[in-house]
Amino acid sequence: MKKKLKKCYKHRALIFMALPGFIWMIFFFYIPVLGNIVAFKDFRYSPDGFLASLKNSPWIGFDNFKFLFSSSDAYLITRNTLLYNIAFILIGLVCAILFAVILSEIRSRKMIKIYQTSMLLPYFLSWVIIGYFVYAFLSPDKGLLNSMITSFGGEAINWYNEPKYWPFILIVLGVWKSVGYSSIIYFAAIMGINPTYYEAAMVDGATKWQQIRHVTLPQLIPLITILSILSVGNIFKADFGLFYQVTRNSGVLYEVTSVLDTYVYNGLANTGDIGMAAAAGLYQSVVGCVLLIAANAVVRKLDDSSALF
């Protein structure tokens, strides 16, 4: 015990630095886990507070989950959530690595900073702001795209009433917003590769493409694996702002834009059923955790050094 206290005292500066983050995680991640009990109750709000509400809410077991999965939209929202996230993971991964490799080949530090700032800017924009920009392009009356189409003799398109275009629009916007942040992570990893590998490759007569293929990409595999595993853990969570704000919650587009998060929000707004919303959130977390563990187990079988845990 004395040794442990002595060790803690020795590293007291690091402990105090980590303490705010630790407290934040306790309050915002661990304590709210106890609220998952709401998913198994017919929640009835009480003015006396949350604990009184729980006490007055009868236990209904898995009825909230049955209601969620017995809905006719269960297959639709699950399909949309999975397919969009798979597209974001695969396309986002390819684009992020591509941009990182391109940045690593630029020799001007000033230009690298300019490109990095330009690529990172969308990441910090709210989906509300992006939604207005998108509407400026796709507005049925005065949108930029319709103006261009009609100027060439075409017929204006009512974009917010045409579901067939939105899978492409949403994927492009989702990748565009996140690729800058992801590319900087891969760029930092590329900058950390030992230059002697490239020198040896040049001595052997390797071209620039061969250096990227046989030196850069293999060195990135552990990082790609870890980030992909973490992405799989969030595959049942959709970006609410993208699917709600950008599409303006248009009912005509629900076939291709309704995901688990927007479905829960719309259901909660219409019915006020907090128990069903909590059940959907718990479902997302449990499935995400299972997928994360499964993906990590597969990676551990293939390459133990690349596994997350």
Side-chain angles (χ1 to χ4, degrees):
M1 188 65 181
K2 288 184 178 180
K3 287 183 178 179
K4 289 183 179 179
L5 290 174
K6 196 173 182 181
K7 194 172 182 180
C8 289
Y9 181 78
K10 181 181 178 182
H11 299 288
R12 62 189 182 278
L14 295 175
I15 292 173
F16 279 116
M17 287 175 63
L19 192 59
F22 177 74
I23 295 173
W24 179 78
M25 287 189 65
I26 292 293
F27 276 95
F28 290 96
F29 282 88
Y30 290 98
I31 292 178
V33 168
L34 302 175
N36 284 325
I37 194 173
V38 175
F40 304 96
K41 283 178 167 283
D42 182 12
F43 190 80
R44 297 174 182 176
Y45 175 76
S46 171
D48 296 327
F50 178 72
L51 294 178
S53 300
L54 281 181
K55 189 176 180 180
N56 296 332
S57 302
W59 183 272
I60 57 173
F62 289 94
D63 285 357
N64 284 323
F65 295 89
K66 291 177 184 177
F67 176 79
L68 178 65
F69 293 111
S70 63
S71 168
S72 59
D73 297 324
Y75 168 75
L76 177 68
I77 59 177
T78 302
R79 181 201 66 184
N80 287 346
T81 305
L82 280 174
L83 292 181
Y84 277 121
N85 279 317
I86 290 172
F88 291 147
I89 291 171
L90 296 179
I91 300 174
L93 175 65
V94 172
C95 291
I97 294 174
L98 177 63
F99 284 125
V101 171
I102 292 173
L103 284 175
S104 68
E105 296 300 321
I106 299 174
R107 295 293 170 252
S108 172
R109 288 183 174 272
K110 185 177 180 181
M111 294 306 298
I112 289 176
K113 289 181 180 179
I114 292 173
Y115 290 139
Q116 282 182 330
T117 304
S118 302
M119 292 166 58
L120 195 60
L121 180 61
Y123 182 79
F124 295 103
L125 290 177
S126 166
W127 280 118
V128 177
I129 297 173
I130 295 174
Y132 280 110
F133 278 120
V134 172
Y135 186 73
F137 278 88
L138 304 182
S139 174
D141 302 325
K142 299 178 182 179
L144 182 60
L145 281 181
N146 276 342
S147 298
M148 293 173 62
I149 292 172
T150 53
S151 66
F152 285 103
E155 189 175 338
I157 301 171
N158 192 346
W159 299 95
Y160 290 92
N161 286 334
E162 294 288 345
K164 61 183 179 181
Y165 299 112
W166 281 93
F168 305 101
I169 295 172
L170 292 173
I171 290 172
V172 168
L173 288 174
V175 173
W176 169 76
K177 193 173 189 298
S178 63
V179 71
Y181 179 82
S182 301
S183 65
I184 288 177
I185 297 175
Y186 289 112
F187 174 72
I190 292 173
M191 291 296 98
I193 297 175
N194 195 328
T196 56
Y197 292 132
Y198 293 103
E199 293 170 3
M202 285 189 289
V203 169
D204 290 338
T207 63
K208 185 60 68 177
W209 164 245
Q210 289 173 330
Q211 292 175 38
I212 293 170
R213 181 182 174 187
H214 297 289
V215 178
T216 305
L217 294 181
Q219 292 292 320
L220 291 178
I221 285 177
L223 179 62
I224 293 172
T225 304
I226 291 172
L227 293 181
S228 298
I229 291 173
L230 293 174
S231 298
V232 168
N234 290 321
I235 203 168
F236 260 77
K237 293 185 178 180
D239 195 328
F240 177 81
L242 172 62
F243 292 97
Y244 186 84
Q245 298 290 351
V246 175
T247 63
R248 306 179 76 84
N249 200 30
S250 174
V252 181
L253 304 178
Y254 277 177
E255 182 184 351
V256 295
T257 63
S258 184
V259 291
L260 198 55
D261 296 73
T262 57
Y263 178 80
V264 170
Y265 176 82
N266 288 324
L268 183 60
N270 293 330
T271 65
D273 192 341
I274 296 176
M276 192 272 287
L282 181 59
Y283 164 66
Q284 283 180 306
S285 300
V286 170
V287 173
C289 181
V290 171
L291 289 175
L292 178 66
I293 295 171
N296 187 75
V298 171
V299 171
R300 195 191 301 115
K301 287 285 185 182
L302 299 175
D303 183 11
D304 187 58
S305 61
S306 297
L308 190 60
F309 52 87

